[in-house]
Amino acid sequence: MARKLKNGSCGGPSGWTGDLVFALVADPDCVQGLCSLVVDMLNGHLPDRARAYLTSSLLIPVNKSGGGIRPIAVSEVFYRLACIYALELVRDVLPDVFEPIQLGVGSVGGSERAVHLLQAGLATMGPDAVVLKCDFQNAFNERKREQILHELFSQDRLRPLWRLSHWAYKAPSELLVLDNGNICTSISSEQGVKQGDGLGSLLFSLSVQWIYRLVTREAKRVRCVAVADDLNLVGPASEVLRAFDNLSVDIRDTGLRLRASKCGLLWPHNAPPPADLCSAPVGFDQARMDTWLREG
């Protein structure tokens, strides 16, 4: 586990890095101390004062390629060690939990497989097959935390993650903002999961799995292909739009919000799109759709 931490990533609030932790494994007493700390985190036994230190993160703003800022939380390295160990305990069951919808957690070559599935769908789902890309605004940070933990606790196969996840997310944690190496302020993380957290992607993906599965209830020929919060719907045009309408309704009271300006519909055919396809579905930006249809 310590070897996996030795990947050159920066340290968390304490300054400890994976390379420093890896240096400890040569000493039996240090290894025993690390194991005891990980066991206490896995079982949620550490007191709240220790929790405040171990769950705090450095907040790093990263520019997105399409504009905007992605808030990345750099976790404390000892908490990362516990997450790596916990995920190893459930690694073998993750494909059964998430596939074939969600390919971003526990799947080999997830992003590449997603691309091939979308291409195959366009080639085999008829002359009016389309791909609709759905985008959520600040999804990881706005998903309701109590619903995230509820979905986790409903999965007995993920029991090894229960106590660690509850310990990490049962109360707010601090996001520390640096200025020239010094902490200048902090932001309380009270909702969603932190991007950069070792459990964040799994917990978010699990919390939206039922939503992704439900949107195709009236569109049996539509396939959902997702990598975390990047959801794509592929299938016959009319059914895809029906599934998108379902999604707009199903995310109410979940904390999720569709970002219409980043949603897009791809019409990859030489023939002009049918008239009914040129009317935007619920929550979709008409100007954005018109642009995609012209460029498709």
Side-chain angles (χ1 to χ4, degrees), residues 36-52:
S36 297
L37 180 59
V38 168
V39 166
D40 284 342
M41 281 189 279
L42 288 174
N43 289 319
H45 285 167
L46 290 173
D48 288 343
R49 185 176 180 182
R51 177 191 173 278

Side-chain angles (χ1 to χ4, degrees), residues 100-116:
I101 294 175
Q102 180 67 252
L103 301 177
V105 181
S107 298
V108 178
S111 298
E112 292 82 1
R113 287 175 61 198
V115 171
H116 289 304

Side-chain angles (χ1 to χ4, degrees), residues 17-265:
T17 65
D19 293 84
L20 294 176
V21 172
F22 184 75
L24 299 180
V25 300
D27 184 273
D29 291 332
C30 291
V31 170
Q32 186 59 47
L34 286 172
C35 290
S36 297
L37 180 59
V38 168
V39 166
D40 284 342
M41 281 189 279
L42 288 174
N43 289 319
H45 285 167
L46 290 173
D48 288 343
R49 185 176 180 182
R51 177 191 173 278
Y53 285 115
L54 289 166
T55 60
S56 63
S57 306
L58 297 180
L59 184 61
I60 308 296
V62 178
N63 290 322
K64 294 183 179 179
S65 57
I69 297 294
R70 186 185 307 279
I72 300 298
V74 182
S75 304
E76 187 58 64
V77 70
F78 302 105
Y79 171 68
R80 275 185 265 167
L81 181 61
C83 291
I84 289 174
Y85 183 78
L87 291 173
E88 187 66 22
L89 296 177
V90 299
R91 178 171 57 89
D92 291 340
V93 305
L94 293 182
D96 290 337
V97 172
F98 290 104
E99 293 186 13
I101 294 175
Q102 180 67 252
L103 301 177
V105 181
S107 298
V108 178
S111 298
E112 292 82 1
R113 287 175 61 198
V115 171
H116 289 304
L117 286 172
L118 293 174
Q119 290 178 330
L122 289 174
T124 61
M125 290 185 169
D128 63 339
V130 297
V131 171
L132 201 160
K133 172 183 175 291
C134 306
D135 188 87
F136 302 101
Q137 182 168 317
N138 200 20
F140 272 60
N141 298 300
E142 296 192 8
R143 182 75 173 94
K144 289 190 175 182
R145 188 168 289 182
E146 67 271 17
Q147 294 180 8
I148 293 174
L149 292 177
H150 173 77
E151 292 300 320
L152 174 65
F153 297 151
S154 69
Q155 289 283 342
D156 192 67
R157 291 175 292 181
L158 300 180
R159 183 180 291 269
L161 304 180
W162 285 6
R163 292 183 179 182
L164 175 62
S165 300
H166 179 261
W167 177 79
Y169 283 103
K170 67 179 180 179
S173 57
E174 294 302 308
L175 301 171
L176 307 177
V177 181
L178 301 183
D179 182 15
N180 293 320
N182 299 312
I183 298 174
C184 62
T185 189
S186 67
I187 300 172
S188 180
S189 173
E190 301 178 1
Q191 201 65 276
V193 292
K194 293 176 285 188
Q195 288 183 271
D197 185 300
L199 299 176
S201 183
L202 182 148
L203 291 176
F204 175 85
S205 299
L206 183 65
S207 78
V208 296
Q209 183 78 349
W210 69 268
I211 300 174
Y212 293 172
R213 185 180 296 113
L214 192 61
V215 298
T216 59
R217 60 189 178 275
E218 298 171 355
K220 302 303 182 183
R221 293 188 294 166
V222 174
R223 178 161 191 174
C224 292
V225 180
V227 177
D229 59 333
D230 293 322
L231 172 64
N232 298 277
L233 305 173
V234 59
S238 60
E239 294 194 37
V240 165
L241 295 184
R242 188 180 306 124
F244 186 82
D245 287 341
N246 290 340
L247 177 65
S248 302
V249 173
D250 294 339
I251 62 173
R252 294 173 183 171
D253 198 40
T254 66
L256 296 174
R257 294 178 293 161
L258 283 166
R259 180 160 45 186
S261 62
K262 291 293 186 69
C263 294
L265 181 73

